[in-house]
Each structure stands twice: as C-alpha cells, then as structure tokens.
Amino acid sequence: MSDQPSALATNFADYKPLMDRNAALVEANRCLNCFDAPCIRACPTAIDIPGFIKKIATDNLKGSARKILEANILGASCARVCPTQELCEGACVLHDLHEEPIQIGRLQRYATDRVVLEKKPLFAAAPKNGKRVALVGAGPASLGCAAELAQLGYETVCFEKQAQPGGLNTYGIADYKMDYATALAEIEWVQQMGVEIRCNTEVGKDVSVESLMNDFDAVFLGIGLDGVGPLGIPGEDLDGVRDCLEFIAELKVRPKEEVSLVGKTVVVLGGGNTAIDATTQSARLGAERVYMAYRRDAAAMGAYKHEQELAKKDGAVFVYNAQPVGIEGANGKVTGVKFVKTAVVNGRLEYVDGSEYVLDCDVVLRATGQGKLTGLIAMFDGVETDSKGRVKSAEDGQTTNPKIWTGGDCVSGGKEVVNAVAEGKRAAQSIHAKLGAN
C-alpha cells in the first residue's frame, strides 16, 4: 500500500502549516514589540505575545513555549484553531501601517509544537494539598481548569462520557485546522501534570452526581453543548439528513475515502461557524456541489468573514434568505430541500408568498444551533440556568450552588476554544481562593 496521502486526504492539509526556522525568524523579527500591545488585550487568555515572539527571535523556543503555555495550557491547539484574524492578528498595529499583520498563530505553533507534541515536560504538579476537584467533561474548559488546579496541588479527576477526551477539540474542529491525533497528543501532554481523565464514564449513569458532591471538595461543570436538534419540518427522518456535528466527528476518525462525498450534492442549513466547517469539509470531501443555505441575508450571517471567503474559495454556493420548510425524498432517501424565500419587514423575518423552491441534493447537514444539556444540569441541585438554558455563573465561574463552578460553552452558549480555556483557568483560581484558605 502506498504511503502517499490520497487526493481527498491532501484536501485536508494543514490550514496553518508549521513554519520552518528561517520563516519563523523572519516573521518574529517583523514584530514591533509594542509596549502597550493590543494583541495581548485581544487574546482571551492574555498571552504575552510580544514576549514569546521576542524569544523566538533569539532561538529560545522553550522559553517562548513557556510564555504561551503558562497563559493558555492549550496553546498548541489554539495556535491552529483560534480565529486569529478576529483576535490577536486583527489587533496588530501593522494594519495601521498598511502592512500584513504578524502571523501570530503560526509563530505560536512554531514555539509550542516542539514542546507539546514531543511531550517535553514544562510544568509539574505541586505537592498534593489534600483537596480533590471533580470535573464533568474533558473538553477545553475542564482541561484549562484541571491543569491550573494540578499545578496548585489539587487532585483533579475529569469524567468524560466519550471514548476519548478533548470534547470539541477532538471531535468538533474541522480536520484541516486540527486533526484527531494532534488533539489527543496535546491532552496526553496535559496529563503529565497529574490530571486524571476517566473516559467512557458518564455522570448520572456510570458515576452518580451524589458521589461527586460527597467525594470531592468542589465540582467543575465543563459539559459543553448538546447536538443539533431537529428543525421540526417534514422529511427530517429521511436517509441523508444529519446533525453536522456527527458528520464532522465521523470524518475525524475515519479515512477520508470512507466518508467521500464525490459526486454528491450537499445542502448545509445554518449560517454560523459550525455550518462553515461543514460546508468547507463537504467541498474538500469531493462533493460536486455544496450549498450553504441561511434564512437571513449575508450581513446577518454569524460565520467569520474569512471563513466565508475560504468556503467560497472551496466552491461553496451561498444561498441567502432561504428558510427550509421541508425535506423531499424518494425510496427513503433525501432528494432535495424545499425552501421559501424570506424578507425582513418592519424588523421581522417574514416568508415571501409564492416563493417556494427546491434545491436537489443527496445530503442535508443541520447546523442550526446546538441544544443545551438541560437534563444533566438539572441533576446538580441549586445550579440555575437562564432563559436560554445556559448555566448561570458569577464572573469567576461559581454557579448558584457554592460548591460548583463552570465555564465554556455551557455558559457562553458557544464561543472559541480559547475562551473556554480562559474560563476554566479563571474558575480554577476561584476554587483555589475558596478552598486554599480552608
């Protein structure tokens, strides 16, 4: 068998490839090392960006990685998946000089890959202080919290219902941004600090909430979000209609040839960044045509502009003001999506009479917003949610139950990996402030 990657696998080559030394040195030396660096303010984890870039310029990669990872323990994955155009690179002062911004994400990867992926120890667990913290879920928020607590002397145990840890990082990121193996390698590096992760362990089923509350000094909820629910329109049970997150997770763990869409037509329903990931990946899996259908206009689309441009470059066709009202099929399989055109009238989205039409397709991917894990949240006495089902918490992550903290998508409703890590770390510091004094 050839060791050469297949044509489909080649389509999923790194979006932000690793720089070589010469390219990194040239890029690092372009940085102006601003005193009041706006890039730091734009980073949710406040990484000392000029500081780590300066160390790259002097070939001190370990020192550079330390600066990044002490602020953001998942700095290696964030180097790949952060929307840097909207965050640190978007704030770079070189924009004001009409120059290209520093490629901060790629420099961050250059510094961290050699430490994290080669599993070089950089931080160690502190001597145990006798306190235990249970973390529900092993995604970015829980890992950010657990890593911080381990360095403060806490015994930390993450309970994860999936077969592998990582949550969104492992199963929900577009493969051309970060692959499955890289996500797991980073988590193994985090575990070197003494973070314990128990996979295939569902809270409420394999381990009781009561035991977490009795056996641990504090609990952190990093449970993320549920899948994409049905739209409630006819035909959703037809073969070929899927939750886009299932689709993204599947192509993380299976050879691309087994999930090929060559010759197919795909309709992605939604206008956010998850919809964009599904759209771009469908195109890269060889789909003959990919429609991204959104019920409002282009200006209202939530997906980042640079991601929209990438999808268009991959050949996707954007269909605006398109409300799905039914899935059509034959012999049990989807054959098309019926839409009605929409328009905003007096501030309200309304259907346009007589505007129905059908887009023929073989696959429909729902990306219309994830649900909340309200059943799981309700198992924890005293934890309140808001009107949208998000966990209520104070700025430091403490919930309305004083023994429980939280962070990540179950609080925000869905933000970036870097936001989840920041919230997990902030919660860890709050837990330490409360428990450390006792």
Side-chain angles (χ1 to χ4, degrees), residues 8 255-264 282 285-287:
L8 286 182
K256 298 296 181 288
E257 290 69 27
E258 292 184 7
V259 290
S260 166
L261 291 172
V262 171
K264 305 284 188 182
S282 295
L285 284 172

Side-chain angles (χ1 to χ4, degrees), residues 9-10 51 69 99 223 258 322:
T10 303
L69 296 167
E99 295 183 19
I223 59 177
E258 292 184 7

Side-chain angles (χ1 to χ4, degrees), residues 229-423:
L231 296 168
I233 59 177
E236 284 191 89
D237 57 343
L238 289 165
D239 185 16
V241 182
R242 306 187 64 185
D243 174 344
C244 76
L245 292 172
E246 293 176 1
F247 163 74
I248 292 172
E250 183 180 68
L251 63 88
K252 301 288 286 185
V253 298
R254 294 180 60 187
K256 298 296 181 288
E257 290 69 27
E258 292 184 7
V259 290
S260 166
L261 291 172
V262 171
K264 305 284 188 182
T265 296
V266 179
V267 173
V268 179
L269 303 175
N273 289 308
T274 304
I276 281 284
D277 279 357
T279 299
T280 303
Q281 294 195 107
S282 295
R284 294 181 184 213
L285 284 172
E288 184 173 307
R289 186 173 291 269
V290 183
Y291 297 105
M292 181 168 164
Y294 178 52
R295 65 195 181 109
R296 296 183 181 271
D297 62 17
M301 186 169 274
Y304 294 125
K305 298 299 181 190
H306 69 274
E307 297 274 19
Q308 294 183 40
E309 291 306 313
L310 180 64
K312 289 175 182 175
K313 192 180 295 183
D314 280 346
V317 176
F318 283 44
V319 183
Y320 302 109
N321 295 106
Q323 175 71 42
V325 293
I327 310 292
E328 303 202 335
N331 301 318
K333 295 184 177 179
V334 62
T335 59
V337 182
K338 186 176 184 179
F339 291 95
V340 60
K341 291 184 179 178
T342 65
V344 176
V345 179
N346 297 324
R348 294 169 57 91
L349 194 68
E350 295 186 359
Y351 295 171
V352 177
D353 290 339
S355 64
E356 292 86 355
Y357 64 98
V358 174
L359 284 180
D360 294 337
C361 65
D362 308 288
V363 177
V364 178
L365 299 175
R366 297 191 312 268
T368 47
Q370 294 175 252
K372 313 298 188 302
L373 291 164
T374 51
L376 177 57
I377 297 167
M379 292 183 190
F380 292 86
D381 287 342
V383 174
E384 297 178 2
T385 56
D386 65 14
S387 60
K388 295 182 178 179
R390 299 173 298 193
V391 179
K392 282 185 178 178
S393 68
E395 186 67 26
D396 64 357
Q398 191 171 33
T399 71
T400 43
N401 180 327
K403 193 175 178 178
I404 300 176
W405 279 257
T406 189
D409 286 354
C410 65
V411 178
S412 66
K415 283 190 174 180
E416 303 298 333
V417 172
V418 66
N419 297 98
V421 176
E423 291 166 17

Side-chain angles (χ1 to χ4, degrees), residues 50-51 53 84 107 142 152 197 211 217 276 279 295 306 308 323 389 403 436:
I53 290 178
T84 51
L107 287 173
S142 287
L152 292 167
I197 301 175
S211 68
D217 298 286
I276 281 284
T279 299
R295 65 195 181 109
H306 69 274
Q308 294 183 40
Q323 175 71 42
K403 193 175 178 178

Side-chain angles (χ1 to χ4, degrees), residues 118-138:
E118 296 177 14
K119 299 183 177 58
K120 295 176 180 173
L122 201 57
F123 309 114
K128 289 289 182 286
N129 63 12
K131 302 290 175 59
R132 307 179 75 212
V133 178
L135 302 102
V136 185

